[in-house]
Amino acid sequence: MRESKTIITSDFTAELTQLLNKWQDNKIFILTDDHAEKFCLPTVLECANARNSQIITIEHGDSHKTIESAIKIWSFLSEHGANRKSLMINLGGGMITDIGGFTASTFKRGMSYINIPTTLLGAVDAATGGKTGINFLGLKNEIGVFSPADTVLVNVDFFRTLDARNFRSGYAEMVKHALIDSPVAWNKVLSFDFENVDFDNLKKLLADNIAIKQRIVEEDPTEQGIRKALNLGHTFGHAFETLSHKTEKPLLHGYAVAYGLVCELYLSYMKLGFPKDDLLKYRYFVLENYGSFSCDCTDYDAVLELMMHDKKNDNNEINFTLLSGAGEIRINQTATREEIFECLDILFN
Ligand code: GLY
């Protein structure tokens, strides 16, 4: 896969200006959603090189990550003379970087794109690593390609306007990265003060954290092996998220991952001797910052059923990434129905 660079900006306008110099003789398109258009596009347009860009706006939310939105984007590119030397700037959360990366990578067999994530979740997860795609026939990310952004430009100032829940949602993916990296990284993320966010500290943590993901992606760009480590917390987490969306209290992605991690660290403790003290420390961190799992997902069979249909599974067995300690990754693990239910008991009791 092509190399991708991530810049955690100190002077966003200057760094964007420098980056766009490369495309000054070519057409630039900015794909955004109605939220990012309002809150973040004005900052991007402070950069003189971006001012003549063509803007494509789609509605926010994962329900718009569809083939219809992709057709709208491809049509716009076609009607406005985009070619292989054009650039797409994806300005938004994970939905925009996913569909923008996909449409740019497939238009005329591929034009370059850069990602400017406007949410913490997008910066930590979707914007890096080259996974692009759209939902199709009710299945998430069913159609897509691995194709990395030319550059990911992270402006921490965009995260100042996130509400507390969206901030915590993104932070859960940072905890996951730290857990798969090392005890040092993990202890650092656990001591974060959510009540008084220090954005300078966040910037440093984010730089280290995105680098963890990048190291793994470079080693295994198409998820044949070690990239599965990034699925930690997501086997239970995705099932909780899907079930919660059928209720009055849909979970934000990161909250589902935070609760999924409680179950998967407990499974790690049971099966691989993950240290009990670390498990309890994490359980306390979740209770303090994410609260108890209040969504009505206590139907264990429904959770199990969803986990059985996870597209990460092989040979009809639920596939987990577990840990024998922070930084000690064990991919391709399985568990029995009884073990899975015991994990749910830990979460719900
Ligand atoms: N979101 C996990 C990955 O990029 O592999």
Side-chain angles (χ1 to χ4, degrees), residues 112-284:
S112 297
Y113 73 92
I114 68 174
N115 284 339
I116 304 181
T118 57
T119 63
L120 183 59
L121 181 64
V124 179
D125 192 21
T128 56
K131 281 187 179 174
T132 73
I134 54 172
N135 305 330
F136 190 60
L137 300 180
L139 299 167
K140 277 174 81 78
N141 303 320
E142 182 71 350
I143 309 287
V145 290
F146 284 102
S147 170
D150 177 274
T151 305
V152 180
L153 209 56
V154 179
N155 177 15
V156 173
D157 286 338
F158 285 150
F159 313 146
R160 289 181 190 269
T161 52
L162 288 178
D163 61 55
R165 281 166 38 77
N166 275 289
F167 190 92
R168 282 169 166 78
S169 176
Y171 199 85
E173 291 281 359
M174 292 178 67
V175 174
K176 178 202 76 179
H177 286 158
L179 260 171
I180 60 181
D181 186 63
S182 63
V184 174
W186 190 44
N187 284 315
K188 251 192 221 169
V189 294
L190 283 191
S191 60
F192 195 75
D193 181 359
F194 287 99
E195 300 306 323
N196 304 292
V197 174
D198 172 349
F199 281 89
D200 288 329
N201 179 32
L202 178 69
K203 212 156 123 178
K204 288 191 208 114
L205 281 178
L206 207 47
D208 292 347
N209 205 274
I210 293 174
I212 295 169
K213 175 165 180 181
Q214 274 177 325
R215 276 197 297 275
I216 291 177
V217 170
E218 269 163 35
E219 200 179 320
D220 176 22
T222 57
E223 202 170 306
Q224 306 303 311
I226 194 64
R227 187 167 180 169
K228 292 182 186 175
L230 298 172
N231 297 331
L232 180 70
H234 284 64
T235 307
F236 277 97
H238 276 152
F240 297 153
E241 192 176 2
T242 306
L243 274 182
S244 77
H245 279 264
K246 295 177 182 155
T247 73
E248 301 280 280
K249 290 186 191 160
L251 283 177
L252 291 178
H253 176 73
Y255 277 68
V257 171
Y259 299 132
L261 277 170
V262 172
C263 294
E264 290 178 28
L265 291 186
Y266 183 73
L267 197 55
S268 298
Y269 157 72
M270 271 200 295
K271 294 178 74 77
L272 299 170
F274 182 83
K276 190 171 180 185
D277 284 355
D278 286 340
L279 172 66
L280 294 176
K281 207 159 56 175
Y282 177 71
R283 182 88 182 94
Y284 180 74

